[in-house]
Amino acid sequence: MTTDDPSGRRLPPLRALQAFAAVVQHEGMRRAAERMHLSHAALSQHVQHLEEAFGLRLLDRSGGRARPTPLGREYGEALIAGFQQIEAATARLRLRGDESRRLILGAPTSLSVSLLLPSIEEFSARAGFDLQLFCPVTVADLAQARVHALLMHGDPRAHGLQGELLFEQALVPMAAPELVARIDPQRWWREPAPGVRVLHVVSEGWRNDWPEWFGADTAAWPLPQLSLSSPMPAISAALAGQGIALLYPRLVAERLASGELVSLPSPREAPIKRLYLAWLPQAHGGARLGWVRDWVVELLVERTARPTVAS
C-alpha cells in the first residue's frame, strides 16, 4: 500500500512564483525588481529558494546577467500564462459584482471627449446606473474584462466578439478656414499649395483612411503628411491651420457648425467609418447594454450635423 506525499504537491510560496515569472517576462532581474517593487537582493533570494526547492538551476548567471535556462523559461512562461488567467478571471468576477451598480464602457478618446462626456451624467441619472468611460481602450481590454462593453471602429466579429453596428458615416477632408483660403478647394489634392499637408492618424481603425485615396506609400502622396497618434491631435492640428484632417462629421459637428472647420470636396468615393458596440459572447446585463446602445445612437444619428462644403 502506498500513500501520497502531500509535500510533493505543495506549491512554492506565491511571492517566489510571482518574482520568477517577472524575471522571465521582463527579461532580467533589474526590470523585474522594479516591477515587483523589490530590491535586487530580495528578488534574487526568491529565485534561489525556488531553485533549492526543485534542485534545479532556473537562471544562468554567467556573463554578468541572469537569463532563464531552458527549463526556467518553460516554467516561467507557464507561470505567466497562469497569472494572466487568474487576473482575467478576477477582473470578470469584479465586474460581475459591480453589474447592478455600474457599467464600464470602453471608447476611443476622441469620441469620449467630443460626444459622450458632455452627456454622461444625464444618461446615468436617466438609466439608473453609473456609466463610466474607459479610454484609451483596445480589444484586449474587453477580452481581459477590464470593461463591460466597447465602442470600436472595426468589426467585432473579426476578434471573436459579439457586436452591433451603431453608426456609419463617410469620412470628409476638413481644414481651418484660414488654410482653405490659401488653396483651391476643388483641386486641393491636384494642385497642393506650399506648406499644406495632410494629417495622417496612424492609430488602429484610422491608419488606412488616407491610403484608401492616395495609396500605402506616403512618399507618393500628392501632399506631405504629418503622422499623428490619434484623431484628437489631428483635430487640434486642423483647428490650428496645420493641415487637412480626414474625419467623420459627427465627431466634430460643433466645430463644423461654428465654422472653425470647413469640409473640402473628396478626391473620389469617400471611405466609410463604422462604429460598433462590442461585448463578450458570455456577457450579462443585456438591458443595460441596450440603454447604452440607444444613447450612443441618439448622440450619433439624431443629432448629426450637416457640414458645409467649401466651394
Side-chain angles (χ1 to χ4, degrees):
M1 175 175 157
T2 61
T3 59
D4 290 337
D5 177 9
S7 65
R9 299 196 304 271
R10 189 177 302 142
L11 289 174
L14 177 61
R15 193 64 169 166
L17 296 176
Q18 291 173 321
F20 185 68
V23 172
V24 175
Q25 183 172 10
H26 301 295
E27 299 291 341
M29 301 282 283
R30 182 183 62 81
R31 289 187 62 199
E34 292 173 355
R35 295 299 180 94
M36 293 288 294
H37 304 290
L38 293 172
S39 67
H40 188 282
L43 183 70
S44 180
Q45 190 175 40
H46 281 308
V47 176
Q48 287 175 7
H49 286 165
L50 280 183
E51 291 180 319
E52 291 170 2
F54 293 127
L56 296 168
R57 191 172 60 169
L58 301 177
L59 290 181
D60 179 358
R61 296 171 176 81
S62 63
R65 182 180 177 186
R67 296 178 176 84
T69 64
L71 281 175
R73 181 166 296 282
E74 179 183 350
Y75 187 56
E77 289 176 351
L79 291 174
I80 292 167
F83 284 129
Q84 288 175 342
Q85 290 185 25
I86 293 170
E87 290 170 2
T90 302
R92 287 193 296 268
L93 197 61
R94 184 173 290 118
L95 285 179
R96 289 292 302 274
D98 289 338
E99 275 188 347
S100 62
R101 301 187 299 274
R102 65 173 178 162
L103 186 143
I104 304 175
L105 176 67
T109 303
S110 54
L111 190 67
S112 297
V113 172
S114 63
L115 198 68
L116 304 181
L117 277 175
S119 304
I120 195 168
E121 290 187 7
E122 176 190 351
F123 169 81
S124 293
R126 178 160 45 99
F129 60 87
D130 183 24
L131 178 66
Q132 298 180 6
L133 294 178
F134 182 98
C135 58
V137 68
T138 66
V139 170
D141 292 309
L142 181 58
Q144 294 295 320
R146 297 185 185 96
V147 296
H148 291 101
L150 173 66
L151 293 174
M152 58 187 297
H153 287 113
D155 191 336
R157 293 172 298 181
H159 302 277
L161 303 172
Q162 299 281 86
E164 180 179 345
L165 176 64
L166 302 187
F167 174 81
E168 58 183 6
Q169 192 171 44
L171 293 171
V172 177
M174 303 179 190
E178 56 268 29
L179 186 149
V180 174
R182 294 162 40 207
I183 62 177
D184 179 349
Q186 299 300 322
R187 302 178 62 82
W188 61 268
W189 66 96
R190 295 193 184 97
E191 300 176 1
V196 177
R197 57 190 173 181
V198 296
L199 305 171
H200 183 205
V201 177
V202 295
S203 61
E204 186 69 30
W206 290 84
R207 64 174 64 101
N208 294 320
D209 295 336
W210 280 112
E212 283 203 30
W213 280 339
F214 299 146
D217 183 6
T218 58
W221 289 7
L223 289 84
Q225 59 93 24
L226 174 64
S227 295
L228 297 161
S229 60
S230 72
M232 288 303 293
I235 294 170
S236 298
L239 289 167
Q242 297 175 358
I244 300 171
L246 187 57
L247 305 165
Y248 57 95
R250 189 61 194 95
L251 191 61
V252 287
E254 293 184 0
R255 304 292 192 179
L256 290 166
S258 67
E260 295 173 271
L261 289 176
V262 177
S263 298
L264 293 165
S266 299
R268 55 183 69 90
E269 184 178 357
I272 301 295
K273 186 65 66 181
R274 294 178 174 86
L275 184 73
Y276 296 83
L277 177 65
W279 58 90
L280 293 171
Q282 67 271 28
H284 297 265
R288 291 181 305 122
L289 286 176
W291 274 91
V292 171
R293 176 198 61 216
D294 294 344
W295 173 59
V296 175
V297 169
E298 177 187 0
L299 292 175
L300 285 168
V301 178
E302 294 186 7
R303 304 179 190 179
T304 297
R306 298 180 180 273
T308 301
V309 179
S311 57

